[in-house]
Amino acid sequence: MRRGVRRTFFDGAAVLIFVAMIFPIYWMVSTALKPGKEILSLTPVWIPTQLNLGNFQTAIHVPFFWNDVVNSLIIVSTTVVVSIVLAFLAAASVARFGFRGRTAFVVMVIAVQMVPLNALVIPIYLLLDQVGQVDSLIGVIAYYMAVVLPFMIWTLRGFITNVPVDLEEAAMIDGATRVGAFMRIVFPLVAPGLVATAIFGFIQAWNEYIIAYVLLSSSSKQTLTIWLASFTTQHGTDWGGLMAGATLTALPVVALFIVVQRYVQGSLTAGAVKG
Amino acid sequence: MGVAGNARAGVVSRKHLEAGPSRYVIARRLLPYALIAPALLVIAGVLGYPLGMLLWISTQQYGFRELIQHQGVFIGLQNFATILTDPQFNYVVRTSLLFTVINVGLSMFMATVIALLLERVSRPVRILLSSGLVFVWATPVIPAVNLWQWMFDYEFGVVNWLLTHIGVGNYIHHNWFENPVQGFAVITIIVVWGAIPFLALTLYAGLTQVPRELVDAAEIDGARPWQVLTNVTLPIVRPLLIILFSLSTIWDFGVFNQVWVLLNARPNKDYFLISVYSFQESFRVSKYGLGAAAAVVMVAILAIVSIFYIRETIRLTAEQSQ
Amino acid sequence: MNPRKLLFSVAAAFALLATACGGTNSTSNTTGNETGTLTVWLMNGSAPQSVVDGVNADFKAKHPNVTVNVEIQQWSDVTTKLDTAFTGSTPPDIMELGNTLVAKYASVGALADITSKKGSFENSGTWLQSLTDSCTFQSKLYCVPYYAGSRAIIYRTDMFAAAGVQPPTSMDQLMTVGQALMAKYGSDPNFSALYFPGKYWYAAAPFVWDFGGDIATSSGSKWSGALNSSQAQQGLTELNTLVSKLSRADKTGDELKQDAAFAQGHIAMIVANGWEVGVITDPKSGDPTLKDKLGAFPIPSHTPGQTAPVFLGGSDLGIAAKSKNQALAREWVGLLGGTKFQSQMVTVGGVIPNTTTLVSLSTGLPAIFASAAKNSRFTPNSPNWANVESANVLQDMLVSIFTGKASIPTATSTASDKITTILNS
């Protein structure tokens, strides 16, 4: 009974926090549905007077929109899938093995994250220009991976070290190989961490603008972030369109999360039964 | 856990040494390097040259003309001298450090509260809150900052309207950015709001790793919730907390977009966080050498500030993998 | 020095030499048998799609084997994009450049020198002077004027009628008209007779120019900031009085939201570009019911009956020095800058064309902006001017004057010193 009351209290607090966090998002979606005069108005318009989808339609009908979607999907999926694998391997190595150069590697991983990326735009462009990867999706993927890997390695290492080594050793005494023990024991336990890290990488790459803009010039190669920037011209910004675009940009990530988080729940319960 | 575990580890490895050929041993010794090699290759391959170029340019006089000709004038450490002796630099560093401390503190506090909540709520609410967090996380930064900009707008802002109508005071035509203290408060709200989702969800993921048996055992022993938290949960997620603290510090120290977009790409000197100062005083006016030096200085300061985290982590890493 | 850098420097030097020697890779006449690809960068929103399609169709008729790729670029961070493009090995053949940016790229040899080819461009004899000036660096021509925009004052005809006033023909009258409007509507805390955001230096410049002042003057190759001259200060004093009495806009804000603000209906006048009329009445961004209630008049001079000089915004079309298709590029640019498509830019695009001969095509409200353009001035044509804009010198000066944080003599002298430093660096 007391547990129930406590849970209701927590539920209430969580819902309050949800409302506070989501309020700007609500504002974004409602702006997308408002006519021009209500968007920047002296008296706030809390609920749009008409649910007009015009902004969403215009947003989708921008030339090359679907190209942009495909390009973003290709770039980001490749970046995330390859990076998470590489990062997991590197993180496992750093977390489980002592080897010469490990400290140096860890320091490098941390130090690289401290460099402000603004400063690297021109050098990156020049590098990719030399190898002919300007205006190419591969060049962008390579850059995103290099930027996302250090953080992924750093975070995954934390999750892996949280799993006590003896769990693997117990499995090895039972006859499993080092690798087998690691995968069977550690992997399910760090799955939630993997998900959070992968989603982070996804969002970083999905919403990145300046490098994508500087590297990609052909209309057929551009990404959704460049599409978002197109709502601002020298005539000002189409706020309704921009907010519709921002909403559309965020939706795939939310969808991805909902799908993946159900999977994570599943593997967690499986792990509990085994343990 | 420690001693018995090590003993068992010793048995295992001795078994392998007795039975296996030396090739296996060599392969095993190379394994760690093989595992980090691909990641290292990508990072070094893509960022090596640009970072090197950045360091090189920081010692040059490098304007737009020099950029086109790919040739600068070597001036040694003069760029660094210019930055470090700039009277404004002092203000910029102090402001950035204060800003970082406040933002990291608030972000981590809120993230911890939310992560703990996520553990304790019913499933539908958990999905609601975590999906909401992901939505905030997924929203592209620039439109999001524009949204906040409107909410605090001089004449169109919801905040001004609300505060006036609730009766807190007359906030009609209140300019939130005239006074940098108020302006930074707004920026802090935006940065913390944007930072919470990742920190909370990652922390929550870490909390799910805490073995249920330990918590149950402590509760059976009569421990109150607060004691369970500090004695059981906290030590286990400590490494993760340190990582999140360090990441937060690195990110909050480098905050740029929020200030830049909020102030329409024309921030007043009072709002020069170090990344804004660096960008505005150099890249924007085509002084790339100065900009590179500013970036190096930024990294140096950040390294000094995070030395605590780094040492902690290296120490933890060392003792974990014995 | 590392060998790669050496290679770059040598290559760049050769490229510069090649173009300086009159272009070893361009032919004066094209035959129609050429093949290749022409890459064109146009800015988002500048040319109507029908105009671009038309130019491409005409071009294809003469050069059926040449592929033209028109790529639309975004305004956000465009200078970074241009910087990297020119630094790299494959800049586009043709690009649209904001007129204040041209000097920066011309001065480092990134743009092709087309002085000797000027006559081959239609209407080059009657190009708008300010745009031509923006294309000229050290007496050489580096681009072709594309289109222009100028400012005038948009006003609410119904509010004027209700307050019993007419569009003013002198600055003193502007003040009287404004005060009459404030008397009638000023009790509304959101009302401004003349809505003037503090950072709006494009609208402040006419006041400086009208009294005979300037932003900077040059003697030889040396620039000096001129805002602290007594004439400039006089203009700013006049503006400051107008702003303090007639405007309730954010003194530290910029003009980006002024159309949305105007559409809310609590403003009588704004200094605006011609295309802002469209933004104010567009259902997606403003209030369509205002369509019949808008009028425009040029910013009046302090001398009755004259108009104040306005800043001529706009874009030019430049050809990359590294382009391998110089002759073809010139032809394409010539088409877009020629009579046929410039007329369409006026009628369809609603902008001011690059030649005085077509200015009269403007009708209705746009015509007022076009005529205001006849008395136009440009910013100091220095390669470092872009840096002055980026350093926010003028905006900071105006804000400190309007908020009262600095007196006009102090603020202008600080700004002038900064401008002198940046322009001469």
Side-chain angles (χ1 to χ4, degrees), chain A residues 35-37 39-42 55 58 121-122 125-126 129-130 135 209-210 213-219 222 226 229-236 238, chain C residues 4 8 41 44-46 70-78 80-81 84-85 87-89 147 190 257 260 263-264 266 275 279 283-287:
Chain A
K37 204 176 165 197
I39 292 179
L40 277 166
S41 90
L42 292 164
N55 284 322
T58 329
V121 173
I122 294 183
Y125 181 90
L126 291 176
D129 187 43
Q130 281 181 45
D135 204 24
Y209 174 71
I210 188 76
Y213 177 54
V214 164
L215 286 175
L216 301 170
S217 312
S218 303
S219 307
Q222 296 183 351
I226 302 175
S230 72
F231 291 99
T232 303
T233 64
Q234 85 273 41
H235 294 181
D238 171 9
Chain C
R4 205 186 272 140
F8 273 143
W41 282 5
N44 183 15
S46 65
V70 174
E71 296 170 353
I72 306 290
Q73 304 305 328
Q74 306 308 326
W75 290 90
S76 275
D77 296 295
V78 68
T80 313
K81 179 119 186 157
T84 51
T87 317
S89 55
Y147 67 86
N190 287 310
K257 293 203 189 85
Q264 291 292 303
H266 300 254
W275 47 260
V279 175
K284 287 180 63 182
S285 49
D287 185 0

Side-chain angles (χ1 to χ4, degrees), chain B residues 49 56 64-65 67-71 150 153-156 173 175 264 266-267 280 284-286 288, chain C residues 1 4-5 83 87 104-105 107-108 189-190 195 199 248 250 252 254 257 261 387 389-390 392 395:
Chain B
Y49 172 75
W56 175 245
F64 187 59
R65 182 175 294 267
L67 181 67
I68 295 283
Q69 296 170 348
H70 296 276
Q71 177 62 45
W150 291 349
D153 190 74
Y154 172 85
E155 53 200 323
F156 299 115
H173 290 183
N175 186 333
N264 286 326
R266 297 194 181 281
Q280 177 67 28
R284 276 271 277 193
V285 292
S286 298
Y288 305 106
Chain C
M1 162 157 65
R4 205 186 272 140
K5 283 209 183 315
D83 287 353
T87 317
K104 174 180 173 186
Y105 298 108
S107 67
V108 294
N190 287 310
Y195 183 91
K199 288 183 180 167
R248 294 217 179 98
D250 183 359
T252 64
D254 61 31
K257 293 203 189 85
N387 294 338
E389 288 196 7
S390 296
N392 304 328
Q395 288 89 340

Side-chain angles (χ1 to χ4, degrees), chain A residues 162-172 181 185-186 189, chain B residues 8 211:
Chain A
N162 259 13
V163 180
V165 185
D166 19 342
L167 292 184
E168 288 155 66
E169 286 162 356
M172 288 199 300
I185 303 290
V186 175
L189 284 173
Chain B
R8 259 179 280 155

Side-chain angles (χ1 to χ4, degrees), chain C residues 274 350 352 362-371:
Chain C
I352 299 174
S362 283
T363 52
L365 283 180
I368 302 194
F369 292 90
S371 71

Side-chain angles (χ1 to χ4, degrees), chain B residues 160-177:
Chain B
N160 279 351
W161 188 89
L162 261 177
L163 287 174
T164 314
H165 276 80
I166 290 181
V168 174
N170 181 5
Y171 277 84
I172 300 292
H173 290 183
H174 178 81
N175 186 333
W176 287 89
F177 300 102

Side-chain angles (χ1 to χ4, degrees), chain A residues 46-109:
Chain A
W46 299 99
I47 305 183
T49 53
Q50 2 152 309
L51 284 182
N52 109 59
L53 292 174
N55 284 322
F56 287 96
Q57 285 171 338
T58 329
I60 297 186
H61 285 116
V62 168
F64 295 103
F65 168 70
W66 291 109
N67 281 68
D68 296 339
V69 172
V70 168
N71 290 330
S72 278
L73 280 172
I74 293 177
I75 291 177
V76 176
S77 321
T78 316
T79 302
V80 171
V81 166
V82 178
S83 300
I84 200 83
V85 168
L86 261 45
F88 185 69
L89 293 177
S93 174
V94 171
R96 285 293 184 252
F97 294 111
F99 55 94
R100 271 183 59 183
R102 188 182 64 176
T103 314
F105 181 71
V106 167
V107 168
M108 185 233 18
V109 159

